[in-house]
Amino acid sequence: MGTILWQRGVGLLRNSRMFLLMLLLPLLFTFAFSNMGTASKISIPLYDEEGSLLSQKAVSYLNRSSSYQFVPVSLEKLKLEVAEGRAEAGIIIPKGFSEEMASGNVEIQMVKSKDSTIIPSLQGVIQASLIKMHTEQAGVRAILRSLTQLGLDANRPQVTTRVEELLAERRKETLPVSTAGKTAEGSKAFRYDPKLQSSLGFMLFFVIYSIIFSLSEMLNDRRQGIWDRLLISPLRKREIYLGNFLYSFMVGYGQLLILLGASRLLFGVNWGEGWGPILFLLAIYTVTIAAFGMLLSGFVKNTQQLNAVVPIFAVSFAMLGGAFWPLEVVTSPWLITVAKGIPLYYPMSAIKEILLNQQGWNVVWLPTAVLLLMAVLFMGIGVHLFERKGVE
């Protein structure tokens, strides 16, 4: 078996272009798709007339909006963009903003075009952002007053910054209110992270090519007569199969590990702190795809036929299994049923459940059982067909 692994490893080093391409493409697609959401924000020019620390903080609060991007510009440019129709509206943070914020009566000036349709929505975003900012700032001031009454030096900027950080951390830990939405038809609301969806989906999609193409070496061996020579060598047949299977697993799992690290470094994809369930599921998925590759290798006669059918299955798996878009938006019951017969569906669903809904090993076992059952069936049928092709 070691001989098989050594031979395949040397072959991979000599011809590594396909492997490198399968590493590059998921990253490119992740970059393109994960940035589609941010590109759809409406740009609103903003002029900060006061220019204080508090007014700059107000800009950061406004930019937490998922619908609008507030871009600081000069007053002349703001008026010009609105007048020429390049922006539907612009806002001005006036002088005296800090005093007004302390009193709780803030007035933000707005410059808008005559036919603008976003004004009600924009006013709502500004109002909500400033109310949130005023509430949080009032909390910080109350804490600082309490510290001063206790005789502590709370007037230093570092103390204010630290209090703000602690309050922000506290709010994340114990949100006072949680909400959940349902559509009129009663379907459950779901959480969606475009970076996670794109990164995980394309990772699971492109690794199919690497795994199955790595098994195509067996077809080349059979065509060139090397397979027959291996059969009469001291190697046992199960060692030959196991060596090829282990090689395809190492190629696929290695690719997944590299992409996990690269997506975290390049795109900031949050894979959570507990890596155990995710790595375990990816390993089981790799085994199942390798077994499916064995099944395809048993059906086809040569590598040309294999190269032709792999994209058909890979793209179908990705589309139906939820790699390209979340299956939560699919309303067809029969499409959901079909998805459950596809290996990619299980790691995709379970890993999103782990990361978006803070689940653990409890969501791993059922997908693992289904994937292993698929792997046994694929492998058994695939080896049987490959043996028959060898006899013919």
Side-chain angles (χ1 to χ4, degrees):
M1 191 172 70
T3 307
I4 300 290
L5 285 174
W6 174 258
Q7 181 193 9
R8 300 297 188 222
V10 171
L12 179 64
L13 290 176
R14 287 176 179 170
N15 187 15
S16 57
R17 283 179 297 179
M18 175 61 77
F19 182 73
L20 295 175
L21 186 64
M22 292 300 114
L23 284 177
L24 182 61
L25 287 177
L27 297 176
L28 289 176
F29 277 90
T30 300
F31 174 77
F33 278 74
S34 62
N35 284 289
M36 287 175 68
T38 55
S40 63
K41 283 188 177 183
I42 300 173
S43 179
I44 302 294
L46 177 146
Y47 174 60
D48 184 1
E49 191 177 19
E50 179 172 282
S52 65
L53 288 175
L54 202 62
S55 63
Q56 292 172 14
K57 189 171 289 184
V59 177
S60 69
Y61 272 81
L62 289 169
N63 276 325
R64 293 178 187 178
S65 164
S66 59
S67 303
Y68 299 102
Q69 178 71 35
F70 294 88
V71 183
V73 295
S74 66
L75 182 60
E76 292 74 20
K77 187 174 180 180
L78 183 150
K79 291 179 178 177
L80 187 64
E81 288 192 5
V82 176
E84 293 181 349
R86 284 183 281 133
E88 291 199 52
I91 66 170
I92 300 172
I93 300 179
K95 284 183 179 176
F97 173 81
S98 299
E99 290 77 9
E100 291 178 354
M101 177 59 72
S103 67
N105 186 20
V106 179
E107 289 188 6
I108 296 290
Q109 299 172 14
M110 183 176 292
V111 180
K112 59 183 180 181
S113 63
K114 186 177 179 181
D115 300 325
S116 176
T117 57
I118 65 169
I119 300 306
S121 167
L122 184 58
Q123 287 175 335
V125 168
I126 295 172
Q127 187 176 15
S129 300
L130 294 182
I131 288 174
K132 187 174 183 180
M133 178 181 174
H134 178 263
T135 304
E136 293 179 3
Q137 290 298 312
V140 171
R141 285 196 297 273
I143 292 173
L144 293 176
R145 276 198 303 272
S146 300
L147 292 174
T148 304
Q149 289 171 0
L150 291 172
L152 300 173
D153 182 10
N155 294 323
R156 291 178 297 166
Q158 297 90 334
V159 177
T160 305
T161 304
R162 185 56 183 154
V163 169
E164 290 176 343
E165 291 173 353
L166 291 173
L167 277 178
E169 291 173 7
R170 184 62 181 165
R171 280 193 298 276
K172 288 180 183 176
E173 292 171 358
T174 55
L175 290 175
V177 177
S178 62
T179 59
K182 289 186 178 180
T183 64
E185 291 76 18
S187 61
K188 294 181 179 178
F190 71 96
R191 302 184 66 184
Y192 176 66
D193 182 340
K195 284 186 179 178
L196 174 63
Q197 173 70 35
S198 304
S199 181
L200 181 60
F202 289 117
M203 183 189 304
L204 297 177
F205 167 55
F206 281 103
V207 81
I208 295 174
Y209 290 92
S210 300
I211 294 172
I212 298 181
F213 285 148
S214 67
L215 283 171
S216 67
E217 295 297 326
M218 295 173 64
L219 294 170
N220 283 329
D221 287 350
R222 190 172 63 186
R223 181 178 59 84
Q224 297 168 354
I226 298 174
W227 188 262
D228 293 332
R229 280 179 274 167
L230 285 172
L231 292 178
I232 60 174
S233 71
L235 287 171
R236 284 176 284 190
K237 188 180 286 186
R238 67 169 180 271
E239 290 179 327
I240 301 173
Y241 280 113
L242 188 58
N244 283 285
F245 190 81
L246 187 58
Y247 166 69
S248 67
F249 173 83
M250 292 169 67
V251 169
Y253 199 57
Q255 179 177 330
L256 289 173
L257 293 180
I258 293 172
L259 290 174
L260 275 176
S263 60
R264 182 159 187 158
L265 290 174
L266 296 177
F267 309 122
V269 179
N270 183 12
W271 295 105
E273 301 301 327
W275 288 73
I278 296 174
L279 296 179
F280 179 78
L281 266 173
L282 292 178
I284 300 298
Y285 172 72
T286 308
V287 168
T288 307
I289 295 300
F292 182 73
M294 190 66 235
L295 178 66
L296 288 184
S297 300
F299 269 111
V300 300
K301 292 181 179 178
N302 49 49
T303 54
Q304 289 75 19
Q305 290 184 359
L306 184 67
N307 294 342
V309 298
V310 168
I312 298 173
F313 283 98
V315 174
S316 302
F317 281 6
M319 293 178 69
L320 295 171
F324 291 165
W325 49 76
L327 286 181
E328 288 84 353
V329 301
V330 177
T331 56
S332 172
W334 75 268
L335 278 178
I336 298 297
T337 304
V338 171
K340 293 178 181 176
I342 292 175
L344 190 145
Y345 165 83
Y346 293 96
M348 196 76 207
S349 304
I351 291 175
K352 286 199 299 183
E353 192 70 15
I354 291 169
L355 296 175
L356 296 179
N357 295 323
Q358 288 76 49
Q359 298 295 316
W361 285 95
N362 56 311
V363 297
V364 169
W365 305 124
L366 180 60
T368 299
V370 176
L371 288 172
L372 288 179
L373 178 62
M374 288 181 176
V376 171
L377 288 175
F378 294 157
M379 196 70 186
I381 299 171
V383 170
H384 175 70
L385 292 174
F386 195 84
E387 289 284 310
R388 287 189 59 184
K389 287 280 191 330
V391 173
E392 293 169 0

